[in-house]
Amino acid sequence: MTDRGLSFLLARGALRSPFKRPSPEAGFPRDRLVLPGVRVDLDRLAAYERVCGFPTEDGALPVTYPHVLGFPLAMRLMSGRDFPLPLLGLVHTSVDIVRHTGLPATGTYELAVHIEGLAPHRRGTEATVVTGMRADGEVVWESRSTYLARHRTGTPAAPREERPDPLPVVAEWRLGEDIGRRYGAASGDRNPIHLHPLTARLFGFPRAIAHGMWTVARCLAAHGGSAGVRAQFRAPVLLPGLVRYGTDGQGRFELRDAAGRLHLTGEAVGQAP
C-alpha cells in the first residue's frame, strides 16, 4: 500500500472515531486480511535502518521491520466501520514479536493480519492485533500488538502498578524534533501526533511524540539484534528530548527520561538467526 493509501485509512479512522462505542463486549471484524507477493523496497528499508540505528546492507530484515509491512493491513481493519474502538486516541500498549528464521531482504513474503479479540483493561478496552508473515508456505515471523481505547469502565481504579528498579544506564540519546517525521517517511506511519508540535497539540500532547515502534527498534539496534522481543509502552517520548537506555546485559532493556520517568520496558528474546 502507498503512503497515500495509509494516510487515507488514518483519515477514515479519524472521521469515524466520534461514532465508536468501545466496550469489551462489542463486536469486532472477524476478517483475516492476506497480502501475497510482498517485496521489500530496499531504499525504504535502508532509510528505516538508518533512523532506527540498525546496520545497513547486511541483507536481512530487522526483527521489527515486518511490523511496518503489516501495518497498512492492521490499519485497514482498525479504521473500518465494524471496528468498535476509536482510532483517534488509540494507544499502542505492547508488542510481542517472534522471528522463526532468517528474513532475507530480497525475499518474497505473504502477510496476514486479524483481530484476535477485545479484552477489558483497567483504563478501558484493549484490542489484540495478530500479524503473521510466511515464506514458501512456512510461518517465518509473527507478532501480537495490543491497542488501548481509554474510557470509563465503571469499576474502581486499580492500584498504581509497581515500577521496576532502574536498569544500569549504558547510553544517552538526544532525540531531534524530526525523529517522528524521519520514521514516518521510512515506515509510512504519518500519524499527526508524531510529526509536528502543532498537530500533536490537537490531540492533547505538548509536543510531537516518538513512535512507540521506533523506541523498540532503537533499543534492539543498541542490543545488537535478537530473534524476538517483548515490550510494553509506558509513557510517550516527547520530541525533542533526552532518553537514557538501560539494560541488564542479558536482554532486559528500558528507556527513561532524565528525571527517571519510565517510557518503555522490554526484553530481547533469543539470538538473531
Side-chain angles (χ1 to χ4, degrees), residues 53 72 83 94 109 120 128 144 152 168 174 180 184 203 210 224 244 254 270:
F83 184 69
S94 74
Y109 301 101
T128 298
R144 293 164 57 88
R152 292 183 178 178
R174 293 192 178 276
F203 300 95
R244 291 172 173 163
E254 66 182 22

Side-chain angles (χ1 to χ4, degrees), residues 169-238:
V169 175
V170 298
E172 285 189 351
W173 300 326
R174 293 192 178 276
L175 309 181
E177 58 88 25
D178 65 338
I179 284 290
R181 295 191 293 276
R182 290 174 59 204
Y183 183 84
S187 68
D189 182 359
R190 289 188 169 89
N191 188 318
I193 64 175
H194 303 302
L195 303 183
H196 297 281
L198 180 59
T199 54
R201 288 191 199 107
L202 296 175
F203 300 95
F205 296 99
R207 304 196 299 275
I209 64 172
H211 295 73
M213 286 304 298
W214 177 85
T215 64
V216 172
R218 185 67 188 89
C219 289
L220 285 180
H223 175 74
S226 68
V229 63
R230 292 187 291 267
Q232 295 79 43
F233 305 105
R234 306 289 189 178
V237 175
L238 296 174

Side-chain angles (χ1 to χ4, degrees), residues 69-92:
L69 299 176
F71 186 66
L73 292 181
M75 282 298 304
R76 189 178 300 174
L77 289 173
M78 291 192 291
S79 66
R81 194 181 305 276
D82 53 352
F83 184 69
L85 307 187
L87 196 61
L88 282 183
L90 203 62
V91 179
H92 196 181

